[in-house]
Amino acid sequence: MSKQITFSIDGVEVKGKEGQTILQAADEAGIYIPRLCYMEGLIPHGSCRVCTVIVNGKPQAACTQPIAEGMTVENDTPELKEHRRNIIDMLFIEGNHFCMFCEKSGNCELQAVAYRLGILSPKFPYFFPKKDIDATHPDIFLDLNRCILCGRCVEASRDVDHKGVFEFVGRGINKKIAVNAEANLKDTNLAATDKAADVCPVGTINKKRTAFAIPIGKRLYDTKPIGSEIESRKK
Amino acid sequence: MAKPKIATASLAGCFGCHMSLLDIDERILKLIELVDFDKSPIDDIKEFTGRCAIGLIEGGCANEDNVHVLQEFRKHCDILVAVGDCAIMGDIPAMRNNIPLKECLEEAYLNGPTVHNPEKVIPNDKELPLCLDRVYPCHEVVKIDYSLPGCPPNADIIWQAVVALLTNKPLELPYELIKYD
Amino acid sequence: MSENLQSEIKVICQAYGNDRTKMMDIVLSVQQKFGQVSSEAMDLIAKCVNCYRVEVEGVVSFYAFLSKNPKGKVVIRLCNDVVDKMAGADAVADAFKKELGIDFGQTTNDGKITLEYAPCIGMCDQAPAALINDEVITYLSTDKVKEIVADIKKHYDPSKLKHRLGDGNNADDIVHSCVHNGIRKKGPVIFADYKKEAGLKNALAMSPVEVINVVKTARLRGRGGAGFPTGMKWQFTRGAAGEKKFILCNGDEGEPGTFKDRVILTERADLLFEGMTIAGYAIGAQAGILYLRGEYAYLRKLLEKILKERRDKNLLGNNIFGKKDFNFDITIQMGAGAYICGEETALISSCEGLRGDPKTRPPFPAQKGYLGYPTAVNNVETLCCAARILEMGAAWFAEIGSKGSPSTKLLSISGDCKQPGVYELPFGIKVKDLLKEVGAEDAQAVLIGGPSGQIIGPNDYNRTICYDDLATGGAVVVFGPERNLIKIAAEYMEFFVEESCGYCTPCRVGNVLLKKYLDKILAGKGEPQDLDLLQELGESIKTTSRCGLGQTSPNPVLTTLKNFRPLYENKVKKYPDGMQPTFDIRKALADAEKIANRQSVIYTK
């Protein structure tokens, strides 16, 4: 029986369990903290920084920061909204995000968070980087133009599938995903049924022959903003 | 008292955004009460006749003619709105951005799988505008005041934006209208 | 060839117990032997240590000294740090390009010599400087470059390069280096004469808890830059649950402008190891690791020799100084060219054979550090101070300095000053007095704490160097009246772009954007709103970044904006015609005009 911890988010009292992170407790309480790289069931990566909240005056990532008794958390403030918009803008201009023909459009978490924040266009210049596509695998194709380096596939493949198909290589702005082979995805043991094939928040890891099956208007984020499913838990 | 003018142009765009604009359907009758259309493919007026309140730009800059038209728009319009993903970030034309121009021209006119060009000529007449080294989103060439994302943006978002700008009200767009595809 | 590779790799991996956590040592050995860690080698290593091949690639691709593609037998790494550039590194760079016939980032046609840039290699007071394999060559000039290249081509063995020997232990046979210590001012703590091993003896006569109390009473704070109270760190580590404890010494000294640990490692390694042993005793560790930055590989043999001597004297090993059951030893972990590994959790990652990514906190290293065990990471200078405190007592330590920052600090001073070098000075010294001391009273600006610190101007020269005012790990760089501070800020941003680990969005992308905007301003195309954007973006990066690098990397921009705003304001202007100043139609048309063999009729020159 876990000890109960009481803390506050934007002045609202929240009860959580010892050992939970701010994000987990908030989710249970029906309070949406925007996030991208976090996925329930995987170890929080803490790379996107979208879930940054102010904890007792200091910025922390809500997905990795454990709750403590009496903690004061600020989430829905104009400053944090601006910081989050800047981060989303940075992700958009870092890659080549061509939503208009992307297989993930409408079901994409990056796009959905941007919609929720009301972003019409990024305020920073586009990098138009040269990134690779790997379509060698019979069932999965990789489009690194869209990768936001969330780390979900790395962790899922290593700790859930026990295959280690994906890992980060390079450093800084050149950091990217590589596969556990000389070069091509087809030379790995990735299968379409792997957890790693299901976790990508954007259109980087795509299952072949499934694109555009869901009509516009019926996709995940067409009518309701991302986070609505969390907020609907609020009593 | 003369009505404010609206001008529109499609640069390196498919005209889908103009079609979307026309999807305002009968609201165009209301629009005409508020504004006159100046230079635009819709009325086929080819040159600016005066100062415009709003310029709607579809498409990014892929060649020097696009740049020239866009610069003219910036000179003549009080407010410039980038309409659609091509104008905002280059969109499909910008897929060529990491490929050298020479290769693009050769693929289009010589090596493409459905090309029939036995004389192997890449068109080169001084009437043809020269291509830029890559496709530039509009805001990289001139100052853009507003952007409406979408491919194309929904008629409703264009309508709401234009009405807000004409009546000097803030642009408050509901969740359903913000789409990047 | 392949069979040879296979057997050699097996031997190397075996030498490190086929231990995956020894990946750094393994790949460094492979790189040394073959000039690369090839794709084939990666597969072989993965098999030997039982990990995924892509994990090996992840490690190799992270560190600057490792490469998948072959490098020459001789790798010349010219330092292109701000201070080296101020001292003339650009002309030296041109000389190398001319003599070798290649550009930076390339290898000569015969595959024998590779030419690269390296960020600060810790030789700022004797710049321009370069690493040639493990050798350090200082005071480079265009003439010297000619000689060096000619010499190298005779034997391709940088250890045979002729040069004057430096002072102190630099002249020792096993160091044999031209580096000089440059100690300008000795103080009572680090470079004073001291009673060797007296601190250790005193410590062993107390209980570990008492040792920690002495260090706490002395109010010793970390000397790497962050200034965390050392006694408290040891106390947390001691109190944490874990079968084993570790003491790690941060010898990564990568903050540009910092070279004081280099001198300690050269001249006071015994004091450092004594301090590490005391720390080990205090926290209950049996093992200590000195993480030595790859750029200081030339000191490794000396350090190993001193460690061996200490073992022979029963100062390391079992039952140290006869103290029953106090068993402690120290190993050296080499780095491989990554500034981020100076961050304590990234350092730990590197020691574990991983990419040098900082770790998620909590848990903190005191709870879960190296291999998951409670770990204390301390700076070189901090551990030396600890040894002196145990020798001389806590009260002695706080005799000079200021209340919040007792005792002395080693400052490594370089740039536009008459006497660059290492100074041991009491905390609380005013910047203007420091400038007088080093011969730089006409300084336009002073960088305190490296690029992750602050750039201040004459308005702040009355402020003091201490943890609560102008904190520093040691780096002080002076900029004379002629220097372009915006250009310097841009160069420091380039450093952070190169060194960011890339894990988190704001640091990975944001620093690139900051540099882009600075370049725009430097090109004369800046606009007033760019200054607001720099401010806003810099603050976002600082607020949301995951580790100390991103939390401080915008400082060169933000502190120059704050303290030298008129410089920026004079460089920007409005563009009322609405055209973007950065759009260059002539450049955009260059390709098409060449292909079409005709000029534009709309946009003539």
Side-chain angles (χ1 to χ4, degrees), chain C residues 152-408:
Chain C
I152 290 178
K153 285 184 176 168
K154 289 196 201 118
H155 48 61
Y156 293 97
D157 184 352
S159 68
K160 292 206 178 89
L161 282 170
K162 291 182 205 39
H163 53 65
R164 254 199 345 255
L165 287 177
D167 56 342
N169 280 334
N170 293 300
D172 188 305
D173 269 339
I174 61 171
V175 181
H176 200 264
S177 174
C178 69
V179 175
H180 74 220
N181 292 325
I183 302 173
R184 295 275 187 181
K185 188 136 193 176
K186 294 188 181 180
V189 182
I190 303 293
F191 292 117
D193 292 324
Y194 73 103
K195 236 172 129 208
K196 287 193 164 199
E197 321 311 333
L200 179 55
K201 269 211 189 88
N202 288 344
L204 295 180
M206 305 175 202
S207 73
V209 172
E210 283 169 325
V211 172
I212 292 176
N213 280 334
V214 171
V215 173
K216 280 175 91 173
T217 310
R219 286 180 282 121
L220 172 64
R221 291 172 72 165
R223 266 122 168 92
F228 193 88
T230 310
M232 204 186 282
K233 187 182 272 192
W234 290 3
Q235 187 169 43
F236 288 151
T237 314
R238 177 170 190 81
E243 280 170 24
K244 298 189 233 193
K245 308 267 169 80
F246 290 91
I247 172 75
L248 266 47
C249 173
N250 189 340
D252 198 59
E253 186 162 77
E255 187 68 43
T258 322
F259 47 92
K260 46 98 184 172
D261 288 339
R262 183 242 301 155
V263 183
I264 296 180
L265 291 163
T266 308
E267 298 300 333
R268 286 285 185 276
D270 263 310
L271 181 61
L272 163 64
F273 293 139
E274 184 184 345
M276 266 179 95
T277 313
I278 293 170
Y281 178 67
I283 68 175
Q286 296 208 318
I289 303 176
L290 166 62
Y291 188 86
L292 184 65
R293 68 181 304 207
E295 295 83 347
Y296 291 169
Y298 76 101
L299 290 171
R300 186 181 186 173
K301 284 209 183 82
L302 172 69
L303 295 166
E304 295 281 17
K305 171 171 158 236
I306 293 174
L307 283 173
K308 182 171 185 310
E309 283 168 0
R310 291 183 79 81
R311 284 181 204 117
D312 292 340
K313 290 188 212 155
N314 186 225
L315 296 168
L316 285 172
N318 289 339
N319 305 316
I320 292 172
F321 253 149
K323 179 101 180 172
K324 196 163 174 292
D325 291 333
F326 177 45
N327 310 328
F328 180 79
D329 209 334
I330 297 171
T331 51
I332 297 178
Q333 173 63 61
M334 291 308 300
Y339 161 78
I340 183 64
C341 288
E343 198 277 342
E344 64 174 3
T345 60
L347 189 153
I348 291 173
S349 292
S350 194
C351 286
E352 292 168 337
L354 302 169
R355 291 164 60 82
D357 289 325
K359 295 183 187 295
T360 298
R361 277 154 296 183
F364 291 86
Q367 266 76 45
K368 275 190 163 48
Y370 178 63
L371 299 177
Y373 296 108
T375 305
V377 182
N378 286 124
N379 176 262
V380 169
E381 189 183 346
T382 312
L383 290 165
C384 292
C385 288
R388 298 298 329 276
I389 289 169
L390 266 300
E391 176 203 344
M392 304 289 288
W396 163 87
F397 190 69
E399 257 163 26
I400 51 174
S402 70
K403 190 158 183 287
S405 313
S407 202
T408 64

Side-chain angles (χ1 to χ4, degrees), chain B residues 29-179:
Chain B
L29 298 170
K30 252 209 201 133
L31 188 57
I32 291 300
E33 281 173 31
L34 295 172
V35 297
D36 278 330
F37 271 78
D38 199 86
K39 174 180 162 83
S40 168
I42 290 176
D43 51 19
D44 208 24
I45 294 177
K46 294 186 172 47
E47 299 294 345
F48 279 102
T49 65
R51 187 120 199 110
C52 292
I54 301 177
L56 300 174
I57 299 289
E58 167 187 346
C61 292
N63 63 40
E64 56 179 343
D65 183 64
N66 298 151
V67 174
H68 183 68
V69 170
L70 183 57
Q71 288 173 338
E72 287 298 299
F73 263 74
R74 185 69 270 182
K75 285 191 198 131
H76 286 88
C77 303
D78 293 336
I79 296 173
L80 217 50
V81 183
V83 179
D85 292 345
C86 285
I88 294 175
M89 52 84 73
D91 202 336
I92 292 176
M95 287 176 75
R96 73 159 169 102
N97 277 6
N98 278 307
I99 305 168
L101 179 61
K102 191 158 186 286
E103 271 183 55
C104 294
L105 291 169
E106 285 170 357
E107 176 73 12
Y109 292 105
L110 304 177
N111 307 327
T114 57
V115 169
H116 177 72
N117 187 357
E119 277 158 54
K120 304 235 174 281
V121 173
I122 296 181
N124 185 8
D125 186 293
K126 73 170 197 280
E127 293 286 326
L128 295 174
L130 292 166
C131 287
L132 305 178
D133 57 346
R134 63 171 178 88
V135 172
Y136 292 80
C138 291
H139 71 273
E140 289 190 21
V141 180
V142 301
K143 299 264 187 271
I144 295 290
D145 301 297
Y146 295 97
S147 303
L148 300 176
C151 187
N154 190 288
D156 293 329
I157 190 178
I158 302 177
W159 171 253
Q160 286 213 21
V162 169
V163 165
L165 289 173
L166 285 173
T167 54
N168 255 316
K169 295 222 175 63
L171 215 69
E172 266 157 26
L173 299 163
Y175 176 81
E176 300 78 37
L177 290 185
I178 301 176
K179 290 282 176 280

